[in-house]
Amino acid sequence: MFRKAEKRQAKLRLALCGPSGSGKTYSALLIAQGLAPGGKIALIDTERGSGELYADLTAYDVAPLEPPYTPGRYIEIIKAAESAGYDVLIIDSLSHAWTGDGGVLDMHDKATAASRSGNSFAAWREVTPKHNALVDTIIGVGLHVVVTMRTKTAYDMVDDGKGGKKPIKIGLSPIQRDGMEYEFTTVVDLSVDNHIATATKDRTRLFDGEHFVPTAATGAALRDWLTAGKDPVAESKRTLKALKASATRIASVPELETWWRSHSAEIGLLTPPDRETLTGHCAARKLAILESSAKASAAEASKEPEEAPKRRGNGEDRHAAGIDALKAATL
């Protein structure tokens, strides 16, 4: 059940939050440069073309996303980026999946209006699984993911350095589902004033207490932290090979089912593709066992039963006994 904790290599899940003008897209591209130097960068652009304003900064590909901003459409593009072999995917912005046209809140309003009771709480039962699927896709996809999220905007008065006050734009909570920040490795708030970044959550511990301007070096530091430890893909391949060999030696279905339960911890460490491969291998092994058992049963049933000795009647028995006695007398 328990095993020794080991640091494993991982893919980044980074959220950049801030009000308009805080430099979210620009910072995301710089960080992506450092994360995958010379690698392939993709950007989902929900900002009506603004994602291409920094094409002179670095090489990257853009996938424009127009309304409706449903979770399903995000999922489709995220999976396409993974299949195309991109190293980093920037989702700019994830807030549209929540408040945009066709986003989760819009879907919820329509589900509420369509219900007979008009019960908004009941409508969440229909909408929440779709948002959860988007979150699961972001977490599980096999590439680095950097998302930008708009924040609710407020203004504060600060000293202007001349004895007076000036208003500055400040960001509040991200425009997304409450608690969304818990899903990320690192969450950074960006300010409009000088684009200063502050980590509000950081599992890497690289930015604790730091106030900094994101650069490619930020991405490089994250890359070094993420690649320290065991390679989960290579480790998964080795584990898969051993598990397949072990499962192949099993000769009965009950034994195979017991084997699966007893190896649940190792199976849980496999990558999703390798887990799917093992599941298919075990299903094929189960089928082979059942087919072998069925053939053995059919072969047993097809055997001709041995002919029972013919029972003689009383007269035949006496006649046979007389012949036997005669033979014995002549010896």
Side-chain angles (χ1 to χ4, degrees):
M1 180 180 294
F2 292 98
R3 60 177 179 80
K4 183 180 179 181
E6 296 176 315
K7 187 176 185 302
R8 295 172 179 268
Q9 295 178 18
K11 298 298 183 181
L12 180 66
R13 303 293 180 259
L14 171 65
L16 301 177
C17 310
S20 174
S22 59
K24 297 185 293 295
T25 307
Y26 185 84
S27 297
L29 286 166
L30 287 176
I31 291 171
Q33 274 186 296
L35 270 175
K40 295 173 61 179
I41 301 171
L43 185 147
I44 299 175
D45 180 15
T46 67
E47 303 284 357
R48 302 185 184 277
S50 66
E52 296 185 70
L53 296 177
Y54 306 105
D56 60 329
L57 185 63
T58 187
Y60 61 97
D61 297 333
V62 175
L65 179 58
E66 301 291 338
Y69 300 111
T70 62
R73 297 190 70 206
Y74 275 86
I75 291 171
E76 181 181 354
I77 300 178
I78 292 169
K79 290 183 176 179
E82 181 181 32
S83 298
Y86 285 99
D87 299 291
V88 185
L89 173 65
I90 299 170
I91 303 176
D92 186 32
S93 131
L94 190 60
S95 291
H96 287 75
W98 186 251
T99 58
D101 180 9
V104 172
L105 294 184
D106 192 21
M107 294 167 64
H108 173 262
D109 290 343
K110 290 176 180 176
T112 301
S115 67
R116 292 183 178 179
S117 63
N119 188 330
S120 64
F121 290 100
W124 281 116
R125 289 199 297 268
E126 177 182 337
V127 175
T128 298
K130 297 177 181 178
H131 187 271
N132 289 344
L134 172 57
V135 174
D136 290 342
T137 301
I138 292 172
I139 294 172
V141 73
L143 68 165
H144 300 299
V145 179
V146 180
V147 310
T148 69
M149 290 190 283
R150 296 176 176 180
T151 57
K152 299 171 184 176
T153 304
Y155 290 86
D156 195 10
M157 300 300 294
V158 299
D159 292 333
D160 63 2
K162 302 176 182 178
K165 298 285 186 180
K166 67 175 182 179
I168 62 166
K169 188 188 295 185
I170 58 174
L172 302 176
S173 59
I175 299 176
Q176 248 294 334
R177 184 173 69 183
D178 287 344
M180 186 68 174
E181 61 270 21
Y182 296 119
E183 309 295 347
F184 295 91
T185 313
T186 301
V187 179
V188 172
D189 283 350
L190 291 165
S191 68
V192 174
D193 191 20
N194 298 321
H195 311 302
I196 301 298
T198 304
T200 57
K201 173 198 172 181
D202 184 23
R203 289 175 178 163
T204 71
R205 305 179 300 281
L206 294 172
F207 311 113
D208 287 348
E210 298 290 330
H211 302 284
F212 60 98
V213 176
T215 65
T218 307
L222 286 165
R223 183 190 71 238
D224 291 343
W225 185 88
L226 292 161
T227 54
K230 287 189 174 182
D231 181 352
V233 175
E235 192 73 15
S236 177
K237 294 297 182 188
R238 285 192 290 269
T239 303
L240 174 63
K241 183 178 180 180
L243 289 173
K244 286 175 67 177
S246 176
T248 301
R249 294 191 292 268
I250 294 174
S252 73
V253 171
E255 185 184 355
L256 183 62
E257 293 171 347
T258 301
W259 175 90
W260 182 275
R261 289 192 296 270
S262 66
H263 288 80
S264 59
E266 295 166 86
I267 294 169
L269 294 176
L270 296 175
T271 61
D274 286 347
R275 196 176 305 126
E276 185 176 344
T277 298
L278 181 64
T279 300
H281 178 80
C282 289
R285 182 59 191 152
K286 180 178 180 180
L287 181 61
I289 292 171
L290 292 174
E291 288 178 345
S292 177
S293 178
K295 287 179 181 178
S297 297
E300 186 67 26
S302 66
K303 289 181 180 179
E304 291 291 338
E306 293 184 7
E307 187 175 350
K310 186 176 180 181
R311 186 174 180 83
R312 298 166 177 161
N314 290 337
E316 292 176 319
D317 289 343
R318 286 194 297 271
H319 179 69
I323 293 175
D324 291 341
L326 180 60
K327 288 180 179 179
T330 57
L331 292 177

